[in-house]
Amino acid sequence: MNVQEWAEYKRTGIIPFADQVFWSLQGDRQRADGLRGLAMQVVNRLKAANATNQIASDSLRLDDGSIIQVNKAYNFIYVTVFCPEKKPLQPGQEPVNIPVLQPGQFYYVPGCIGRYFFGNDDLRNEIYLPPSYFAEGADTMNTGRGMSFLTLKEVGLPYPSASPDGSISRYAKACYLPGANPDLGYSGSRLEMAPPHIPTSGPFSISCVVRLRKEIAIDYTSTSKTKELDCGYQVYNPVKPRFLFSDDGEVWTATCPGSMAPLVGYKIPSRFSTHWVKFTYPWPDYNTNFVTKEEKQIGYREIATVCTDEPLMESDYDTASPYWDKVETGEQETLSGEFQTGWEENAEVANAAPYASFCTFKVDGEHGKAAGTRAVASLSDGSKRYSTVVSYIYEYNEDSSIKDTILTLKDYQYKLYMTEAQPSLTFGSQPFPVNHPQGYMVGMNLLGMAWYNGDRIIAGKISDFQTEYSTQPIVSEPLNIGEWHHVCVTYGESGETRLFVTKLGSKTINITEGTSAQSNFVNTDGWGNSVKIMVGADDWHIAPSEDSEPAKWTSEWIFSAYMDIAMLRFYKRELSKGEARLLLFEAFHGAFVADDLEAAQLQGNGLIPITLQGD
């Protein structure tokens, strides 16, 4: 009996016996058995806090619902450990398991090159990077517009903790980015981050907390043209950028509805390197005469099938409509006959000129028509086919009189054939509609993360969509609108890409994996100007020159999201699953996660780092 025990015996008259610990493991007994060590920490905590109390209790509740209950009655200690039975996880899901810190320990994820917690209502990088870190002439400026900063209490996120020894504090807010309002000429709130945050070659990782306030949508309208013409019609963009997918590099598909907006990263429209098309732009002076004013360009593909509710560049005939040319109805002649042959030119993908189709039409008698004469025919359902005369020849009777006329016709609209119509054609002056109402598509290159198809995230690296079709980006399951999610994309040296998505309050992490391109990403626009990392919104246009006025633009696109973002981090390395879980723990549970300089300071104070660099 030691001195303390003798003193206690003299005071109470009770002979001290060694503690007897009684265990009760409940629920998932295997997991509960693994918590014995943590339970003994609770026992020691209880004994230290109740040295003079013979009856006491203490408990600890864990994030996964497990409960450790300790009851002490004199030298009898009853420990109950309950772990809820695990629900079976779906493929691509993992539990949120984080080791509990022991006294003198701290969490640490090495290699952070950019931390933006917005605590001072600004876009200052909270990670110090010396000037020598940046290449000469590198753009290191962060800018933003239209954003507002909200307290974490306002948005329902936990405040980040101080370091375990209290020497380092965190100040954090959320950044709200309301979407675009094209009717007001406003193309969306955004953050424009310095390019060095995401390397164009080699590994990288991005972690943040996001809330999408409503599904992203596509704005098909050319806002400047609609305002300029003021004709009572919405003027739609002839060219539509899409994330394109292919099995062979020739046939390309897109997933509807095709909406997109920047989350954190680059999404840069990119033309095809081959394939000629012909445009009939629905505005002056192209629509004075679509046939004579058509414009041939390389780098686009005709869209064959559009999405549900996707508007077309078409309307019923109306002199005010931009989708009909301004050729007036004049003298006409309707002729019945028969179609003879039809053929195509430039049908291959790598064509030397825009696709064209032709046919011959035979009528009795002398009916020669000048080259360029317009012809219109009807189908049984009332739809129309349009063509122009290329040439004609006569066939003669034995007495040298003209027996019949064979006209060569060129189909006007893309793959809408005159031979499908009834063999009764009206020749003469008459208005034509837009050549290809579905429009034309270009692809999209990607580095980082973007919102996609309303409520999903597309992530990874596409440096040249046309040649890298075999290494496609990864796409998440739908996110819950209006709810916070922690998202983290990691990209490895060999292109291995993982996207971690966890909803606030969820016990599981959804993981999507794939292989992205390994090539160098070119983060410039079509004129060679450097492009910043975009968050929330960006806008693009096609123009004949860099300084062209909006009146000369031939397509313009506004991409924006109504979103909040918080606790944004950049890493110039691939993160492990464990490290992604630590950043999730920081975001949703207020844990302190140290960066490199902080880790050095805390280790200098005698603390031990806990890293989870393995999977």
Side-chain angles (χ1 to χ4, degrees), residues 259-309:
S259 56
M260 64 186 84
L263 201 171
V264 181
Y266 302 101
K267 42 168 284 299
I268 300 178
S270 177
R271 299 193 306 173
F272 291 90
S273 60
T274 58
H275 196 76
W276 286 86
V277 299
K278 59 182 181 181
F279 285 91
T280 51
Y281 296 116
W283 51 76
D285 69 344
Y286 296 100
N287 63 0
T288 57
N289 186 319
F290 281 146
V291 175
T292 61
K293 296 288 186 179
E294 72 179 18
E295 188 170 285
K296 300 177 179 64
Q297 290 198 34
I298 193 171
Y300 306 88
R301 295 282 187 92
E302 297 90 349
I303 295 175
T305 304
V306 297
C307 298
T308 304
D309 299 327

Side-chain angles (χ1 to χ4, degrees), residues 214-411:
K214 65 180 182 180
E215 290 190 3
I216 58 169
I218 302 176
D219 182 12
Y220 294 99
T221 305
S222 172
T223 304
S224 59
K225 284 298 179 187
T226 299
K227 290 181 178 179
E228 176 191 336
L229 299 187
D230 193 23
C231 60
Y233 286 85
Q234 291 281 351
V235 181
Y236 297 115
N237 287 305
V239 179
K240 305 168 188 178
R242 304 188 189 275
F243 281 110
L244 296 175
F245 304 92
S246 177
D247 292 327
D248 56 10
E250 293 198 5
V251 178
W252 295 88
T253 60
T255 304
C256 289
S259 56
M260 64 186 84
L263 201 171
V264 181
Y266 302 101
K267 42 168 284 299
I268 300 178
S270 177
R271 299 193 306 173
F272 291 90
S273 60
T274 58
H275 196 76
W276 286 86
V277 299
K278 59 182 181 181
F279 285 91
T280 51
Y281 296 116
W283 51 76
D285 69 344
Y286 296 100
N287 63 0
T288 57
N289 186 319
F290 281 146
V291 175
T292 61
K293 296 288 186 179
E294 72 179 18
E295 188 170 285
K296 300 177 179 64
Q297 290 198 34
I298 193 171
Y300 306 88
R301 295 282 187 92
E302 297 90 349
I303 295 175
T305 304
V306 297
C307 298
T308 304
D309 299 327
E310 182 174 337
L312 303 179
M313 294 183 291
E314 65 179 13
S315 73
D316 294 334
Y317 178 71
D318 179 357
T319 56
S321 171
Y323 303 118
W324 290 85
D325 68 14
K326 307 311 172 187
V327 173
E328 297 182 353
T329 301
E331 183 178 349
Q332 298 177 354
E333 180 182 19
T334 299
L335 300 172
S336 296
E338 62 177 343
F339 294 108
Q340 292 190 306
T341 58
W343 67 96
E344 297 174 311
E345 292 181 358
N346 305 313
E348 62 276 6
V349 171
N351 56 9
Y355 170 88
S357 58
F358 302 84
C359 69
T360 54
F361 182 68
K362 184 176 181 178
V363 296
D364 293 337
E366 181 181 355
H367 294 288
K369 303 295 179 184
T373 301
R374 297 183 171 201
V376 179
S378 297
L379 278 68
S380 58
D381 63 3
S383 57
K384 306 288 187 182
R385 293 292 184 267
Y386 302 87
S387 64
T388 56
V389 174
V390 177
S391 62
Y392 65 89
I393 59 172
Y394 292 132
E395 292 186 331
Y396 295 91
N397 295 309
E398 291 182 358
D399 61 2
S400 298
S401 62
I402 294 176
K403 178 182 179 182
D404 47 47
T405 305
I406 300 176
L407 298 112
T408 298
L409 305 175
K410 181 180 181 180
D411 292 314

Side-chain angles (χ1 to χ4, degrees), residues 107 135 286 518 547:
Y107 296 125
Y286 296 100
Q518 299 179 50
D547 56 357

Side-chain angles (χ1 to χ4, degrees), residues 369-575:
K369 303 295 179 184
T373 301
R374 297 183 171 201
V376 179
S378 297
L379 278 68
S380 58
D381 63 3
S383 57
K384 306 288 187 182
R385 293 292 184 267
Y386 302 87
S387 64
T388 56
V389 174
V390 177
S391 62
Y392 65 89
I393 59 172
Y394 292 132
E395 292 186 331
Y396 295 91
N397 295 309
E398 291 182 358
D399 61 2
S400 298
S401 62
I402 294 176
K403 178 182 179 182
D404 47 47
T405 305
I406 300 176
L407 298 112
T408 298
L409 305 175
K410 181 180 181 180
D411 292 314
Y412 164 69
Q413 291 186 301
Y414 177 72
K415 292 193 176 182
L416 295 180
Y417 306 110
M418 206 72 173
T419 53
E420 298 172 336
Q422 301 175 62
S424 177
L425 279 60
T426 299
F427 293 87
S429 181
Q430 50 200 315
F432 272 16
V434 162
N435 166 272
H436 190 54
Q438 294 93 330
Y440 308 84
M441 65 184 181
V442 294
M444 189 70 69
N445 294 336
L446 171 73
L447 182 63
M449 297 184 287
W451 297 111
Y452 179 58
N453 276 349
D455 56 2
R456 298 172 186 260
I457 295 173
I458 188 169
K461 186 177 189 179
I462 314 169
S463 300
D464 178 12
F465 81 92
Q466 190 175 2
T467 60
E468 296 172 347
Y469 57 86
S470 63
T471 53
Q472 299 179 354
I474 54 180
V475 179
S476 73
E477 293 298 315
L479 277 66
N480 297 73
I481 300 298
E483 298 192 43
W484 284 100
H485 295 77
H486 175 258
V487 298
C488 178
V489 61
T490 70
Y491 172 85
E493 196 71 54
S494 301
E496 57 275 13
T497 307
R498 293 186 290 194
L499 177 64
F500 304 84
V501 179
T502 310
K503 186 178 72 172
L504 178 61
S506 174
K507 303 299 183 184
T508 56
I509 305 172
N510 293 289
I511 304 174
T512 310
E513 299 179 289
T515 302
S516 295
Q518 299 179 50
S519 54
N520 185 62
F521 188 86
V522 179
N523 57 337
T524 61
D525 63 15
W527 312 109
N529 301 311
S530 176
V531 177
K532 285 182 175 289
I533 296 165
M534 305 302 290
V535 179
D538 64 356
D539 40 83
W540 296 85
H541 61 266
I542 298 176
S545 65
E546 184 176 1
D547 56 357
S548 295
E549 295 295 322
K552 298 294 185 181
W553 296 354
T554 54
S555 285
E556 59 177 311
W557 315 297
I558 296 172
F559 308 100
S560 73
Y562 287 77
M563 61 173 281
D564 305 87
I565 186 168
M567 302 181 192
L568 172 60
R569 287 179 174 273
F570 296 93
Y571 293 82
K572 198 175 179 179
R573 53 178 285 261
E574 180 185 11
L575 297 182

Side-chain angles (χ1 to χ4, degrees), residues 100-120:
V100 177
L101 288 180
Q102 303 301 313
Q105 296 178 336
F106 66 94
Y107 296 125
Y108 173 36
V109 177
C112 185
I113 61 169
R115 185 181 76 226
Y116 295 88
F117 281 19
F118 312 120
N120 294 314

